Each structure stands twice: as C-alpha cells, then as structure tokens.
Amino acid sequence: MDSTQTSFAPRTDASRQPDLPVSTGTKKRSGRTWSVPVLLALITLLGVLGGAVVVARAGDRTDVLAVARDVPVGQRVTAQDVRVVSFADDPGLSPIPAADRASIVGRRAAVDLHPGDLLTRSQLSVRGLGDSEQVVGVELKRGFVPRDELRPGDKVAAVVLPAQGTDTPSTGSDSAGSAAPDTIEATVQSVGTPDSTGALVVNLVVAPADGPLLATKAAAKQIALVRQPRQGGS
C-alpha cells in the first residue's frame, strides 16, 4: 500500500506580525539634560562674575602709610622710615593716608615702630620737637599717674611734691590756706608699659627752662602727674 505524503504550501494571505523592539529594561529619562557646551558656558559665566566681584572689592582699597624700618620711641620719623601700601578700608582701623606723608616726617615716634605695621597718628607725638623744647623721662609709681588715662598729646601738670621727711604747709584754722604746689606744664610724648609694681615711664615735652627742674624732681621721686581736660572732651 502506497503511502501518500501531503505537502502544504505556505499561506500568503496571513499578515505578518511586526518585529517588536527588544526591551533593555531601562526607561527613557523625560527630564532635560545639559550638554557639555552649555555647562562650559555656565562655568565661564560664573568665573567672569567672580572676577568682577574681586575687581569691585579691589576698587575699595586705598593707599596708606606703613612702617618701613625700626624707629625707636622718641626718634624723629624720616621719609625713609615709611612706605606706601595698598589697604582695604576697614572701619576699625585708621592708618594715615599716603597723601599725608609730608606732614608726619619730622614728628617723633610715641611708641616703638616696627616694619610692616600700619602707621597711625596715635603712634606719633602730636608735633615734632623744635629747638625750644626738651623731653624728660619721668618714672612714676602707682598712684602718682592716672591709670590707663594718658595718651600721646595729652596736656599734663607735673606737680612737684615735698621731699620725703618734710612737712607740708600747715592748714590750721589760723592759716590763710596752704600754698599751691609748684607745677610744671608739659605734654605727653609717649607712655611706657607698667612693670610688675605698676610703675611706668612717661616722656614729657617741656620748655627748656623747666627741663632741668623736672629731671631733678623726677630723679628724687617728687613728681605726680595730673591730666588736664582734653579739648572738646575727647
């Protein structure tokens, strides 16, 4: 018995299903992405703005005077002792403007000046000493000078005290009153730092006629200082 094989021709009328894309399991981001050129442009813009801020701040700087070399207290300041530096304005500091350089030359240092320090008016004597003035260093014990009250430029009265062991004039009821003590008018040039006992040295500017007397009485520890009122109550 013959076996008959039946062959079927492929169907041509059946519609072919389209190939589906292979899923990678990741979802497409819907947010905006920044391209490299845009990021570079933003970085450049930030750099420009930062530079503008630096330039603006640099515009607030001003020229002031600084100490160029050591100047001991009492020594005259020369043009070579100071130099011009650029300084950012600071309300808490008051250095001398560079434009005032000529006015400070010839004045004496009220404190020791060191290189690099900004120069302020409080570091200088009120005015330069002329040929008609003298400086006398007076060492004063605690209680013979106003504590933390003296500064360069203050006007003071150097009161001459009685020598130790001598009596002061009587102030009895039958007396017309004690005589006023002798005083020497002076200007504070500089004030030293108190030592462990509270004593300190004050440099005083006086007239030549008063210099020898003040030096003699100071050596005998017969001087006390009284600060005079400051102008304007300052």
Side-chain angles (χ1 to χ4, degrees), residues 164-178:
Q164 293 184 357
T166 61
D167 296 330
T168 57
S170 173
T171 57
S173 58
D174 58 344
S175 173
S178 60

Side-chain angles (χ1 to χ4, degrees), residues 57-66 83-90 93 95-98 116 118:
R57 289 183 177 178
D60 295 335
R61 301 180 73 86
T62 182
D63 289 340
V64 299
L65 296 179
R83 61 189 179 94
V84 178
V85 298
S86 182
F87 172 73
D89 287 337
D90 187 336
L93 300 175
I96 299 175
L118 294 178

Side-chain angles (χ1 to χ4, degrees), residues 81-162:
D81 294 330
V82 296
R83 61 189 179 94
V84 178
V85 298
S86 182
F87 172 73
D89 287 337
D90 187 336
L93 300 175
S94 55
I96 299 175
D100 297 342
R101 183 172 188 169
S103 66
I104 63 96
V105 173
R107 294 176 63 176
R108 293 183 182 270
V111 296
D112 290 331
L113 303 179
H114 303 288
D117 294 343
L118 294 178
L119 191 62
T120 62
R121 299 192 184 279
S122 63
Q123 296 173 318
L124 302 173
S125 59
V126 175
R127 53 195 174 93
L129 290 176
D131 294 336
S132 62
E133 295 173 312
Q134 295 179 344
V135 178
V136 179
V138 180
E139 184 178 15
L140 298 159
K141 297 184 297 183
R142 183 194 297 269
F144 288 76
V145 59
R147 185 174 179 84
D148 300 328
E149 283 292 330
L150 291 184
R151 64 192 186 196
D154 279 343
K155 301 295 184 180
V156 296
V159 181
V160 180
L161 305 176

